[in-house]
Amino acid sequence: MKAMNYRGPFRVRVEEKPMPKILHPEDAIVQVTRACICGSDLHLYHGMVPDTRIGSTFGHEFIGVVREVGTGVTKVKVGDKVLVPFNIACGRCNFCKQGLFANCHESNAMATAVGGIFGYSHIAGGFDGGQAEFVRVPYADVGPTIIPSDMDDEDALLLTDVLPTGYQAAEMGGIKVGDTVVVFGAGPVGIMAARCAWLFGATRVIVIDHLEYRLEFVRQYAACEAYNFRSMDDPVLFIKRITDWLGADVCIDAVGSDACGNAMQTITGKKLLLQAGAATALHWAINAVKKGGIVSVVGVYGPTDNLVPIGNVVNKGITIRANQTSVKRLLPKLMDHVRKGVLSPKDIITHRFALEDIAEAYQMFSAKLDECIKPVLIPSTNN
Amino acid sequence: MEKENLKEQFTHIPGWGVDADWENDPVYPMRDIAADDKSADWKRPAQQTTSKEVQRSNERPEHPAVFGDTLPPTGLSGHLRRYAFHYSESKYRHWLPLLLADRINEVEGVIADVKSGFFPNIWKERGYQAYWKYDRRKLINKVATVAAVSIGVWMLIRRK
């Protein structure tokens, strides 16, 4: 089968790989029909995540058709069209029972901080991902969810990560009716977080980024205010000024380790790798939230350390909430929102590529060429 | 705040306030705390087996029921990865060798390609066709900068 093959920072290609096999009674083999490149895949692509081995296949956002199931699988069958949450979760450990499917304790041998994730380095379990024609899906009775016949495939595709992550960002913000919410980052997750903030009753939503085309997109898509931090001396001061000098009730970091906007963070975090990426957005979020406010973090950082103003967290009495998204927990509600037309995630897709053109797709997304917001990969067997 | 007034004010946003909990503060159903029995003794799924070498964090006593067994460690990078897994996730001695192993692994990948008779097409693997199509000027600047720095470093080395 054809699969993406990572060769080092900024180098990927498509190669023939052996077909995945059932390795556990609860496994399924899924033939991928659509896969996304996620903003967090770019952290891998840029070589920022430790233990990303040469030959890895990335891809944790995908849908497909079940082609084979293990002897212990009862809830999906061969031929089912499924969306596959990016978390690999057993559904029965202490953490899964609490709905913390992203923190499953039975799916990642190589790190205890996070559960298994498809195609996200060996620190997320060493599983191959869905930027391929076929993929092994463990715990097939837990994660994979049959796509309803009335749901568009590309809406289903964005329910595997982007929409749930944006929604959980807003949810973790504990947004109350009347709140002002600032979202740092107008990438796919930031766009979704801004859109979902309204669902919780926010009365003002503000997005901060530096790419004009994305700011214009989010203004239209999420009906929010959007500002370019390149046009201001100090984004924190700007936010204070437009919030009666108090700060926002809730700040969301939807950027993570690939942030720009602060030379010191960029050099130490992205160029010299002296910290786990540039924590610029988190820095701004902590300083721009009001006293007693909440900072919600869904931006992905590496596992080592970052420079953040922890003293201000204490002095301002801020609550920080963060996690990888527990997609399965949110799926029933979000599928309902999509089917009722409240949310239309597929509208953020801007580019579609054949799987064979994956190197161009990564470069285009990474360098923000041709106003790229969300690229989708289509294996040639599914054109 | 008047619920109806606000709803009217935001009719242009589909779904405004549909997930707001007007009675509860804050809205945060993140954990089902009632399900937390504080136990590490759940009914475990069947154990996956493998003949491949799979690293395990030393912060857990055994492998999880399911794990990825792709790409066992090999070569010099593999030695470094094995060394790293002697240390916990809170140690630099865990993460820094892994980062170094990744860079070495990249070189090992090129050597393996060449040894198998395959010469990587760097232009294609870096997706420069897309750059050439959509932002040719930036690509030329990028290539020129790298070339200038490389030549400068080479000349400095030669002078010594």
Side-chain angles (χ1 to χ4, degrees):
Chain A
M1 66 151 187
K2 287 191 172 67
M4 177 268 198
N5 189 317
Y6 171 74
R7 306 309 301 170
F10 295 90
R11 282 182 57 215
V12 295
R13 64 188 185 224
V14 167
E15 265 189 2
E16 284 294 325
K17 270 190 153 183
M19 279 288 288
K21 289 182 183 147
I22 299 278
L23 300 176
H24 183 271
E26 295 177 48
D27 282 358
I29 303 299
V30 169
Q31 182 177 8
V32 178
T33 53
R34 292 281 188 284
C36 287
I37 302 176
C38 178
S40 56
D41 286 331
L42 295 181
H43 307 322
L44 300 171
Y45 178 69
H46 296 159
M48 296 169 74
V49 179
D51 214 357
T52 303
R53 301 182 189 179
I54 300 302
S56 299
T57 295
F58 302 165
H60 55 270
E61 299 179 4
F62 60 92
I63 59 170
V65 179
V66 177
R67 291 300 181 210
E68 195 181 346
V69 293
T71 53
V73 177
T74 58
K75 291 183 182 160
V76 293
K77 59 183 187 308
V78 171
D80 282 344
K81 202 159 80 171
V82 291
L83 68 90
V84 183
F86 75 86
N87 326 111
I88 300 171
C90 73
R92 65 207 89 166
C93 71
N94 182 280
F95 305 103
C96 284
K97 280 193 285 188
Q98 297 174 64
L100 297 168
F101 295 100
N103 310 100
C104 175
H105 211 60
E106 292 286 7
S107 58
N108 183 2
M110 290 158 225
T112 54
V114 66
I117 298 175
F118 292 99
Y120 208 80
S121 84
H122 276 64
I123 67 165
F127 295 91
D128 269 341
Q131 290 167 9
E133 289 180 321
F134 294 87
V135 60
R136 172 197 171 207
V137 176
Y139 299 129
D141 274 346
V142 180
T145 302
I146 294 172
I147 301 171
S149 56
D150 62 341
M151 182 176 282
D152 189 285
D153 278 1
E154 290 187 338
D155 275 331
L157 176 60
L158 295 191
L159 278 163
T160 60
D161 180 354
V162 180
L163 176 53
T165 300
Y167 187 92
Q168 185 169 305
E171 185 191 51
M172 290 192 300
I175 297 166
K176 296 178 284 296
V177 173
D179 274 356
T180 294
V181 178
V182 172
V183 180
F184 290 97
V189 168
I191 291 168
M192 287 301 173
R195 180 68 189 82
C196 291
W198 297 117
L199 306 188
F200 292 95
T203 48
R204 194 175 182 196
V205 178
I206 299 161
V207 174
I208 304 289
D209 200 289
H210 68 115
L211 295 166
E212 277 302 330
Y213 77 91
R214 289 190 171 187
L215 291 166
E216 187 49 38
F217 184 91
V218 75
R219 275 185 205 111
Q220 301 301 323
Y221 182 84
C224 61
E225 299 167 52
Y227 301 101
N228 191 331
F229 66 75
R230 300 278 189 215
S231 68
M232 50 187 85
D233 286 338
D234 180 347
V236 171
L237 192 61
F238 174 80
I239 290 163
K240 288 282 174 69
R241 192 178 296 133
I242 63 171
T243 54
D244 293 333
W245 297 98
L246 296 177
D249 299 289
V250 176
C251 282
I252 294 171
D253 171 4
V255 180
S257 58
D258 249 331
C260 48
N262 179 299
M264 197 271 286
Q265 289 275 358
T266 301
I267 291 166
T268 58
K270 292 166 70 176
K271 306 293 181 196
L272 303 176
L273 296 182
L274 295 175
Q275 49 170 332
T280 307
L282 181 53
H283 203 285
W284 287 345
I286 289 169
N287 285 328
V289 78
K290 71 161 59 160
K291 293 173 190 171
I294 297 175
V295 171
S296 167
V297 188
V298 289
V300 173
Y301 291 91
T304 52
D305 304 325
N306 278 103
L307 292 168
V308 293
I310 195 72
N312 284 357
V313 175
V314 177
N315 291 335
K316 293 171 76 173
I318 295 166
T319 300
I320 295 181
R321 287 175 179 153
N323 204 348
Q324 296 279 353
T325 307
S326 290
V327 175
K328 184 183 164 62
R329 178 179 64 82
L330 295 169
L331 272 182
K333 182 184 281 185
L334 293 177
M335 287 174 84
D336 192 48
H337 283 338
V338 171
R339 294 169 87 179
K340 285 180 176 160
V342 170
L343 297 168
S344 180
K346 70 173 184 296
D347 294 349
I348 69 165
I349 295 171
T350 53
H351 291 73
R352 291 168 184 81
F353 295 88
L355 178 64
E356 287 77 2
D357 295 330
I358 198 160
E360 283 181 64
Y362 264 93
Q363 186 60 269
M364 192 174 268
F365 193 31
S366 171
K368 316 290 186 289
L369 301 171
D370 195 33
E371 303 199 341
C372 184
I373 291 176
K374 189 67 178 171
V376 170
L377 301 164
I378 306 170
S380 55
T381 44
N382 294 287
N383 272 330
Chain B
M1 246 168 292
E2 284 281 333
K3 187 175 173 179
E4 290 313 313
N5 284 353
L6 272 176
K7 275 190 172 170
E8 227 163 78
Q9 200 183 322
F10 288 97
T11 48
H12 63 292
I13 295 173
W16 182 86
V18 291
D19 290 338
D21 186 339
W22 294 73
E23 312 301 327
N24 190 20
D25 176 16
V27 179
Y28 190 64
M30 184 62 195
R31 290 173 65 192
D32 180 0
I33 295 167
D36 182 7
D37 56 9
K38 310 288 181 198
S39 168
D41 191 24
W42 54 83
K43 190 173 181 300
R44 298 194 66 209
Q47 181 64 50
Q48 179 184 333
T49 55
T50 185
S51 55
K52 294 182 185 172
E53 180 185 355
V54 176
Q55 272 68 51
R56 176 170 56 81
S57 164
N58 70 357
E59 293 184 37
R60 58 182 309 140
E62 57 202 344
H63 277 76
V66 156
F67 48 83
D69 67 354
T70 59
L71 303 169
T74 55
L76 178 58
S77 65
H79 285 298
L80 275 165
R81 295 193 205 282
R82 290 185 194 102
Y83 169 82
F85 276 89
H86 286 114
Y87 299 97
S88 81
E89 295 159 55
S90 73
K91 295 281 192 186
Y92 284 114
R93 273 177 289 181
H94 180 71
W95 297 114
L96 297 183
L98 287 176
L99 275 171
L100 179 61
D102 288 351
R103 300 290 85 83
I104 291 169
N105 199 194
E106 191 187 347
V107 179
E108 290 171 337
V110 174
I111 293 169
D113 274 349
V114 173
K115 273 173 84 174
S116 66
F118 176 85
F119 288 85
N121 182 341
I122 302 294
W123 175 271
K124 196 171 175 203
E125 288 179 357
R126 285 181 172 262
Y128 280 155
Q129 305 97 305
Y131 240 128
W132 188 252
K133 187 172 174 187
Y134 294 106
D135 199 348
R136 195 169 297 186
R137 208 163 133 185
K138 196 170 174 188
L139 178 63
I140 291 168
N141 282 342
K142 212 173 172 167
V143 172
T145 307
V146 171
V149 170
S150 306
I151 291 167
V153 170
W154 182 71
M155 284 172 75
L156 269 175
I157 293 168
R158 272 199 67 187
R159 265 175 56 182
K160 284 183 179 175

